[in-house]
Amino acid sequence: MSPIAIERHDSPLGRWEKVSCRLPVGLGPHMLGYSGYAEATPGPFRRLEPSNDEVHVIFSFGPEWRVPKPVRSFVAAPDSRHAIVEHDGYQHGAELRLTPLGAQTLLGLPMDELACEVVELDALLGAEGAELVARLCEASGWAERFDVLDAWLVRRLADAQPPDPGVEHAWWRLVRSRGRVPVAELVRETGWSRRHLTARFKAQVGLPPKVYGRILRFREAARELARPDGPSLCEIALDCGYYDQAHLNRDFREFAGRTPTELMAARLPGGGYRGD
């Protein structure tokens, strides 16, 4: 077990705790990590969730989330839209972060069936999902919970089918270039037609490669913008592959529903964004 790190916050906004631990090396590279969380706020709390390139599996030990429909434990797949999620003042649970290829391997479902959706865990895993959430909730502490997750991941992945090599190559090229590699270059490298590449990529990642690359650029720009000593908006736009600042602003409005300045004004301590 890797060392466990704990981050805490206490302010008029509320109190929250995040407990993190790196996954064992043998579970990479598409299993990205897991964490535990507990959050208490003075009243109902709304979070903005911008478009994302990862898959988040939430194992809830407490009340429902509204996303906007009420859910407890769920899977949130890559999404080209932004969303507001809300709770009534308390949340407690664990989160597993996966790449889309990791989720497709772990869950054994085509990602284009999950993309842009929030799906309850029971609908995907049935009794296995409910049993896993119960074991996590009843564990004596976070070290035991992370051991339970490790064992479950190892068991699920033992007989899983690996990602398509061509799709995995295209996905890695997009990720490592932070969304800058042109689709035409991926077509040339895979030897597939553009239509075939798009269909195969969408089936295992959930979104077409061009859209996925745009989300990667947006996420990179948002990370750069959050740096206290970061570059200017104009510099970020050029560094992240945008034509100009106006091009960057359009993507922020599409993927976050906010301008870059508005998004940073909504940033929460420790990450994430207020949804009001």
Side-chain angles (χ1 to χ4, degrees):
M1 168 70 67
S2 300
I4 291 175
I6 301 176
E7 302 173 56
R8 294 186 174 93
H9 171 82
D10 192 345
S11 78
L13 286 172
R15 300 188 310 276
W16 51 83
E17 178 179 272
K18 180 179 179 181
V19 184
S20 304
C21 179
R22 288 194 304 273
L23 284 166
V25 175
L27 288 176
H30 293 296
M31 313 290 122
L32 299 177
Y34 40 44
S35 60
Y37 61 85
E39 178 173 296
T41 56
F45 195 76
R46 292 161 56 90
R47 287 180 179 271
L48 168 69
E49 296 292 343
S51 298
N52 72 90
D53 58 292
E54 298 178 357
V55 177
H56 298 262
V57 184
I58 299 295
F59 307 97
S60 179
F61 311 154
E64 294 174 329
W65 293 89
R66 290 186 293 278
V67 295
K69 67 179 181 180
V71 293
R72 285 194 169 88
S73 299
F74 60 89
V75 176
D79 202 326
S80 56
R81 306 161 302 178
H82 56 279
I84 298 293
V85 301
E86 184 177 14
H87 63 72
D88 286 327
Y90 179 71
Q91 274 298 325
H92 183 210
E95 177 181 33
L96 172 65
R97 293 172 47 242
L98 310 167
T99 72
L101 296 179
Q104 195 269 342
T105 302
L106 183 72
L107 301 174
L109 293 172
M111 284 303 297
D112 56 357
E113 294 183 9
L114 300 180
C116 302
E117 298 288 346
V118 171
V119 182
E120 292 192 80
L121 194 63
D122 287 357
L124 297 177
L125 298 179
E128 179 186 358
E131 180 184 351
L132 175 61
V133 173
R135 290 185 63 201
L136 292 171
C137 186
E138 294 164 2
S140 61
W142 284 110
E144 184 178 338
R145 288 185 178 117
F146 293 152
D147 284 343
V148 168
L149 279 174
D150 285 347
W152 178 71
L153 289 169
V154 168
R155 186 168 62 253
R156 289 284 299 188
L157 294 172
D159 299 318
Q161 294 295 315
D164 181 295
V167 173
E168 187 170 32
H169 170 82
W171 181 85
W172 276 117
R173 288 281 283 124
L174 281 169
V175 169
R176 287 169 176 160
S177 70
R178 295 173 293 178
R180 292 169 178 77
V181 61
V183 175
E185 194 167 324
L186 300 178
V187 167
R188 179 180 58 79
E189 292 175 358
T190 58
W192 295 338
S193 70
R194 188 183 185 104
R195 178 177 293 183
H196 188 66
L197 168 66
T198 298
R200 297 283 287 273
F201 193 94
K202 190 175 178 182
Q204 295 200 30
V205 176
L207 298 170
K210 184 174 182 179
V211 175
Y212 194 77
R214 288 180 60 209
I215 293 172
L216 288 170
R217 290 199 303 273
F218 157 72
R219 301 290 292 194
E220 175 70 11
R223 284 191 291 270
E224 287 294 298
L225 193 59
R227 287 172 44 196
D229 59 344
S232 68
L233 272 175
C234 184
E235 291 171 322
I236 290 172
L238 294 176
D239 289 345
C240 293
Y242 292 96
Y243 299 124
D244 52 26
Q245 189 174 326
H247 184 200
L248 178 144
N249 287 343
R250 286 195 296 273
D251 267 12
F252 268 71
R253 285 193 176 278
E254 179 175 348
F255 293 138
R258 309 284 192 278
T259 65
T261 302
E262 289 168 345
L263 187 64
M264 288 305 103
R267 187 168 170 79
L268 292 165
Y273 306 96
R274 296 192 311 276
D276 40 46

